Amino acid sequence: MKKILIVFVIVCMALAPHLTWSSEETEGNTIAVGVQGIFPDDDSNKFQEDNQAGRPGVFLEELEFQRAGQKVNVGLTGRFTTGRSGWLDLKVQGDKWATGIITRVFNTWYDTSFAPDILPSGTRVDELYPEDTGLDDAIGESEPRFERKMAELFLTYRFSLANRITLRAGVYDGYGERVPSIGGFSISDVGSPAFYTAGLEKIESQSTWISVDGKFKTAKHLNINIYGELRDDDTENQFFMPAFGTASLLDINYWKDAQETTSGLLAVNTSWDTDGYSIKGGASFSKAGTDPDNSDSRVDETGALLQQGLATRGGDIDSESFGGALGGILRIRPWLTASLSFDLMNLDQNGDLGLFNGNTVVPEKSNVDTNRVGGTGEIRIIRGVFWSRLQLRVVHEQTDRDESLDTFLQKTTETDDRVSVRLDASYRATRRGEVAGWIGYENRTFEVDVDELVNGYALDEWQSDTFHGGLSYLYTRDAIRAGLNANFKATSFDAEPPVAYPLFDPSISLDSEDYDVNLLRIAGTLIWAFERGSICAELGWLRDDFSMPTPDDSDGYALTDETIDGVVFAFDGQLGLWQGAEATGHFEIVNDSSDLDNTLIRTYLELQQLIRKDLTLFGRLSYWDYNDDQAGADEYSTTAISIGIKIKF
Amino acid sequence: MKDIFIRRARLPSIIMGTLLFFVCPFFLWKGSVLAKSPCSECHSEQVEALMKGPHRGVVAEGASFCEACHGDAARHLESNEAQDIRGGAALSKTPLDARDKMCLNCHASDFQHEELSPHSGKVSCWDCHRDAALHFEVETHRTKTAKDHTTWRLCTECHKTVSAQFRLQYRHPVEEGIMDCTDCHDIHGKGGGEDAMRAACIKCHPEQRGPYLFEHPPAAKGCTTCHRPHGSWNRTLLASNGNGMCLTCHLQSNFPGVGRIPHNFKLNAGARCWDCHSQVHGSNTTPDFNPRGRR
């Protein structure tokens, strides 16, 4: 992709001076390219992980061509970072049709040394195990980069003002490596103490899809939307999972998973809309079939197959889902609207496979049948500057689960009932200010009937009460815009313990427990535009709180109670300096002051100088600093210098 | 099919070839905007701007597009008098829901489940698309640069706490201008709830698609039970750095002393549940999602 980008940029730059388009027609056509040098200090891998695999190289800051002609409009827009992430969209539009290609590339990098110096319990890793427990020490040097590429072609044809059909065809390709876990202290199943460090996962994943989306207005009030999609997903993963003992590397587990899934979806939605009422209905059917050939196979360090996981007789997993909804909206008065809708869903999923356990093929089966019905009622009042909505929703869901493998057997019936109510209101207090708020409540009851359970781990009954709400205020005056958002979610659980014994004994009953999970988000912004520039400041406070009961018999057992509590602050400024010169600055700090205790700073200063009417030079100095009290080895300070040109043509 | 289209080495060639196919005529061809609308005789600036945007085709068909908002133009075309048409001043005083109906004349089928959206009845078409987008700007719908986010800027005008979450250490690259809110969110309210959100995740993460023989119910229902897609303090956008998230459902009063394999040895120095139960999205071989346990 980098080569494509370089070739493309060179072509554009070579052609740009020769293009004869008038300034009026080409207004806004821009290409901005540059080079960036990155000078990392300390953990450069961690820096790349936090910055989309950022590294030295060429970048496309901005590409925008818009061309309107007699027959068609053409638009080409794009952006690519030095980490090879970005997008390029080409759209061509005629009077009756539009077509184009949309491309996306995402690059991610995983830190090979990612492991905390201090375990969450407070224990230092180097007091338990050898200091060298990183991924490199177990499997050698690796480059855990994962790249996702996507491309989608589309063609839209418009029959009339409201009738059109869109065809899409796309491909996805994911390839690379990732580090899926950071490990933790453990005791291996054979009885030797072991420390599971970060593992490595090699992934090859491809998808293709085609879809058709038709939107029609067949009569004055009837609207129909038909959507169909066929999709194929093919994934193969190889895992490398090292385990260290107290003195050295004990072993590395290698295995492979692979599965191919073919799926289809057909959905039809209709509505009959008049001034006084609307009736809406829809139905969808989806089907997916998975062939998990080769799943859980043992491989060696090169990936060569040692023993298949699934038996050759194999089998597959089929899933069928049907959903439907019907609703009506009645406009009782110009200021009063009431609506009522019902929905239902059925999911039937069956799997029948054979798994190698040594030289024996063990059958494994699952059958999951889920049925859900729901209803929603709503009243909406709009009077001048006042807007409000009251919504009530009731959902009942039942799942029959029948799963078995070797000595594992679980037959349960789960019911999940939810009742929720939510009230929204907003009021434009003055011409300059608007206040809005909402509050909601949900009661959820989850119950399980266990018919059979051997070596299983079924959940048991629990009930939760959730209160959630929010408040926002927006203020506008001349060149000043200020806003504040605050929202919270507080859930209290009342849970029975799960039935977790190897042999199900309905006479055994453990104690119930109460616990809470709370979220709080508060953020505000202030934007001020003045004659020579503008500033924008943002301050946020984010808190996640898990207040779990203290376990009875687990000295040192950590991470039940957890509070993640931190602030973010960002500042952007733009200032015109002298003729054709402009400075832009950005500063951002993220600080977690609770369990994680880390601080991240991102900042840059950019200068732009207009050289000619259509040519601007820019230079940018960027700086990142990451401080981590739990994993000092992951800290970094990185400086980057970028220079580039922006051409308008 | 797979062999033809999705071999990794061929994908860049396909993309490049397709781009060149489209781009070559783009460089060679020259043209100018020709507005066929009768309104363009007097309102050429507005009509030509429209011709550069997504409404080009319907504008070219005549006055009907303009009439969708400005009302019947027949008298105005004859008289050229401002009072014979609903002009900009009159439109600005029209209630937002009435203005939305103008858009819904053609776009009603885009909003089949609009009433399920939190935006329903509160956010107007004009709040985001605005007059400028219709008349004076070419609407790209894409983030242009990290400093000039089109959709991002619009959404965070109200969703400020979401903006703050995107500042966190682990986040999807929206602030960097590589993704956009609309990549995941169907702002117009297509509906579908958790299923629709999961479908949005699967677009870029098909490795977790399933279906699996042994499903982890929250993963099959929706990714946001465990992940914070806007931004998180924790790796892989997990809601929790510890086990509280898992214990929210898997609580037991004397945990971790019970179970087929006692967990008090496993966890008493601080391991996470998913260190061993790593196939949390689902597994075809282990009902407890612990592939290491089979080794």
Side-chain angles (χ1 to χ4, degrees), chain A residues 46 49 73 79 87 90 93 121 164 185 215 257 259 296 364 366 380 387 457 485 498 515 538 562, chain B residues 22 31 51 54 56 110 120-121 143 158 163 170 176 213 235 240-241 248 251-252 269 279 284 294:
Chain A
K46 177 65 173 154
E49 176 171 299
N73 292 351
R79 173 177 168 79
W87 51 273
L90 177 69
Q93 186 187 4
S121 59
R164 56 196 183 277
F185 178 50
K215 294 172 178 174
D257 267 353
Q259 69 177 37
D296 202 45
E364 52 173 350
S366 73
R380 191 181 302 172
W387 176 96
Y457 199 77
N485 265 188
Y515 53 102
E538 178 183 293
E562 183 181 11
Chain B
F22 283 109
M51 289 291 287
R56 165 198 175 102
D110 294 333
S120 171
T143 301
C158 296
S163 172
Y170 300 102
E176 289 80 358
L213 187 76
R235 220 166 179 239
S240 159
N241 183 44
T248 302
L251 185 84
Q252 45 187 312
Q279 291 183 330
N284 294 318
R294 258 180 55 77

Side-chain angles (χ1 to χ4, degrees), chain B residues 38-203:
Chain B
C39 308
S40 63
E41 288 183 18
C42 301
H43 304 284
S44 58
E45 184 187 0
Q46 287 87 346
V47 174
E48 288 187 7
L50 282 165
M51 289 291 287
K52 294 176 184 175
H55 285 122
R56 165 198 175 102
V58 288
V59 177
E61 287 186 357
S64 56
F65 173 78
C66 305
E67 289 175 329
C69 297
H70 294 283
D72 187 353
R75 283 184 60 192
H76 176 70
L77 286 170
E78 286 182 10
S79 68
N80 285 333
E81 294 294 333
Q83 66 265 25
D84 291 335
I85 192 99
R86 190 191 300 143
L91 271 174
S92 66
K93 294 175 184 172
T94 306
L96 286 178
D97 57 340
R99 282 208 251 169
D100 286 351
K101 282 181 185 172
M102 301 166 185
C103 306
L104 294 175
N105 280 333
C106 299
H107 291 284
S109 57
D110 294 333
F111 298 87
Q112 295 290 343
H113 294 287
E114 188 261 353
E115 70 276 10
L116 296 178
S117 163
H119 287 160
S120 171
K122 187 176 180 185
V123 178
S124 160
C125 310
W126 298 73
D127 283 334
C128 300
H129 295 282
R130 294 179 185 173
D131 184 59
L134 290 172
H135 283 169
F136 302 111
E137 289 179 359
V138 178
E139 193 177 23
T140 64
H141 272 302
R142 292 296 314 169
T143 301
K144 286 194 283 191
T145 73
K147 295 169 292 178
D148 184 16
H149 302 183
T150 305
T151 312
W152 163 251
R153 192 177 56 210
L154 284 170
C155 298
T156 55
E157 276 188 22
C158 296
H159 299 280
K160 298 186 186 306
T161 54
V162 175
S163 172
Q165 289 173 67
F166 274 112
R167 308 279 182 199
L168 298 181
Q169 183 179 357
Y170 300 102
R171 69 264 181 97
H172 278 106
V174 171
E175 197 183 356
E176 289 80 358
I178 301 170
M179 288 183 73
D180 206 347
C181 305
T182 53
D183 285 333
C184 302
H185 294 279
D186 183 346
I187 295 166
H188 299 133
K190 194 174 183 178
E194 291 171 336
D195 296 337
M197 276 311 299
R198 184 171 185 272
C201 302
I202 293 300
K203 271 198 306 187

Side-chain angles (χ1 to χ4, degrees), chain A residues 4 25 46 49-50 64-65 67-71 73 79 87-90 93 95-96 104 106 114 120-121 148 150 158 161 164 171-173 175 179 183 185 187 189 196 205-206 208 215 217 225 233-234 255 257 259 261 263 269 280 290 292 296 298 317 349 351 355-356 364 366 380 387 397 405 455 457 459 481 483 485 487 493 498 513 515 525 538 551-554 556-557 559-560 562 564 588 590 596 602 604 606 626, chain B residues 2 6 8 11 16 19 22 26 29-33 51-54 56-58 61 105 107-113 115 117 120-121 138 142-147 157-158 160-161 163-164 167-171 175-177 179 204-207 209-215 217 221 233-235 240-244 247-249 251-256 260 266-272 275 279 284-285 287 291-292 294-295:
Chain A
I4 295 173
E25 287 175 335
K46 177 65 173 154
E49 176 171 299
D50 287 353
E64 183 167 353
F65 286 114
R67 183 82 170 95
Q70 292 179 357
K71 299 289 184 186
N73 292 351
R79 173 177 168 79
W87 51 273
L88 197 61
D89 292 354
L90 177 69
Q93 186 187 4
D95 289 346
K96 288 280 189 183
R104 303 280 183 275
F106 300 103
F114 191 85
S121 59
R148 305 172 200 275
M150 280 179 280
R158 184 174 58 80
L161 282 176
R164 56 196 183 277
V171 293
Y172 164 92
D173 181 85
Y175 180 79
V179 181
F185 178 50
I187 306 288
D189 294 341
Y196 289 163
S205 177
Q206 294 95 29
T208 55
K215 294 172 178 174
K217 189 170 184 176
N225 184 354
D233 299 291
D234 192 358
W255 75 93
D257 267 353
Q259 69 177 37
T261 302
S263 59
N269 289 298
K280 303 197 177 200
T290 289
D296 202 45
R298 292 193 65 186
I317 304 154
Q349 187 166 313
L355 183 68
F356 273 114
E364 52 173 350
S366 73
R380 191 181 302 172
W387 176 96
E397 183 175 310
L405 166 62
N455 282 336
Y457 199 77
L459 294 172
R481 290 179 64 83
N485 265 188
N487 51 64
F493 293 85
E513 294 284 0
Y515 53 102
T525 56
E538 178 183 293
D552 295 341
D553 56 352
S554 54
Y557 174 58
L559 298 174
T560 49
E562 183 181 11
I564 304 170
E588 192 175 319
V590 181
L596 295 174
R602 309 180 187 100
Y604 71 76
E606 180 180 300
Y626 178 60
Chain B
K2 178 184 74 175
I6 58 178
R8 182 169 44 86
L11 189 62
M16 190 64 189
L19 279 173
F22 283 109
F26 171 40
W29 148 86
K30 182 174 182 295
S32 62
V33 178
M51 289 291 287
K52 294 176 184 175
R56 165 198 175 102
V58 288
E61 287 186 357
N105 280 333
H107 291 284
S109 57
D110 294 333
F111 298 87
Q112 295 290 343
H113 294 287
E115 70 276 10
S117 163
S120 171
V138 178
R142 292 296 314 169
T143 301
K144 286 194 283 191
T145 73
K147 295 169 292 178
E157 276 188 22
C158 296
K160 298 186 186 306
T161 54
S163 172
R167 308 279 182 199
L168 298 181
Q169 183 179 357
Y170 300 102
R171 69 264 181 97
E175 197 183 356
E176 289 80 358
M179 288 183 73
C204 298
H205 301 278
E207 299 84 13
R209 190 210 180 290
Y212 299 101
L213 187 76
F214 302 112
E215 295 277 6
K221 274 191 172 182
W233 306 98
N234 306 302
R235 220 166 179 239
S240 159
N241 183 44
N243 294 324
L247 296 180
T248 302
C249 296
L251 185 84
Q252 45 187 312
S253 59
N254 54 351
F255 194 85
R260 187 155 57 109
K266 300 252 174 219
L267 296 171
N268 66 7
R272 281 88 165 170
D275 287 337
Q279 291 183 330
N284 294 318
T285 51
R292 275 177 167 145
R294 258 180 55 77
R295 303 265 72 83

Side-chain angles (χ1 to χ4, degrees), chain A residues 211-223:
Chain A
S211 71
V212 57
D213 188 1
K215 294 172 178 174
F216 307 103
K217 189 170 184 176
T218 57
K220 187 178 179 184
H221 302 297
L222 180 62
N223 296 285

